[in-house]
């Protein structure tokens, strides 16, 4: 089963950029299809592989900040080719 995941890491501290950059770089290095925009990061792939990577990298990201929020949305389909038609 393929999924699409949208992630937003929000450290609640000053000097927040290193944690976000490290999180995105690790997702990119995972071999998954990863797309970024200014507000979130999207990850696409097979459910078990995506969740294996996210389980590890979300824990690492949250451990790297004093306080933070990590928003996650999961869609049961690969939406990586989506383009608005309006």
């Amino acid at each position: 089963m393929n999924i699409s995941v949208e992630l937003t890491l929000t450290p609640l501290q000053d000097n927040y950029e290193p944690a976000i950059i490290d999180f995105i770089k690790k997702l990119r290095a995972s071999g998954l299809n990863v797309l970024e925009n200014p507000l979130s990061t999207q990850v696409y792939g097979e459910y078990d592989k995506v969740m294996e990577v996210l389980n590890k990298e979300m824990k690492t990201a949250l451990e790297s900040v004093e306080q933070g929020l990590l928003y996650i949305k999961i869609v049961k389909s690969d939406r990586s080719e989506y383009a608005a038609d309006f």
Side-chain angles (χ1 to χ4, degrees):
M1 166 178 58
N2 287 323
I3 61 173
S4 301
V5 180
E6 181 180 63
L7 301 153
T8 303
L9 175 62
T10 308
L12 301 175
Q13 63 188 43
D14 293 333
N15 193 28
Y16 57 87
E17 289 178 338
I20 295 170
I21 291 168
D22 188 54
F23 182 54
I24 292 172
K25 284 183 175 181
K26 287 180 178 177
L27 292 176
R28 286 178 183 164
S30 72
L32 296 172
N33 184 7
V34 177
L35 301 174
E36 303 107 25
N37 66 53
L39 299 176
S40 65
T41 300
Q42 292 82 41
V43 180
Y44 307 94
E46 196 277 321
Y47 179 89
D48 290 331
K49 176 62 177 168
V50 171
M51 296 310 289
E52 176 185 338
V53 169
L54 292 182
N55 185 48
K56 177 183 177 206
E57 299 308 339
M58 288 188 307
K59 182 177 181 181
T60 300
L62 289 172
E63 289 175 339
S64 74
V65 298
E66 287 183 42
Q67 293 183 8
L69 303 170
L70 201 153
Y71 299 94
I72 181 170
K73 298 178 199 174
I74 301 173
V75 177
K76 184 184 170 187
S77 66
D78 184 335
R79 306 288 292 167
S80 60
E81 300 298 323
Y82 172 78
D85 60 356
F86 52 89

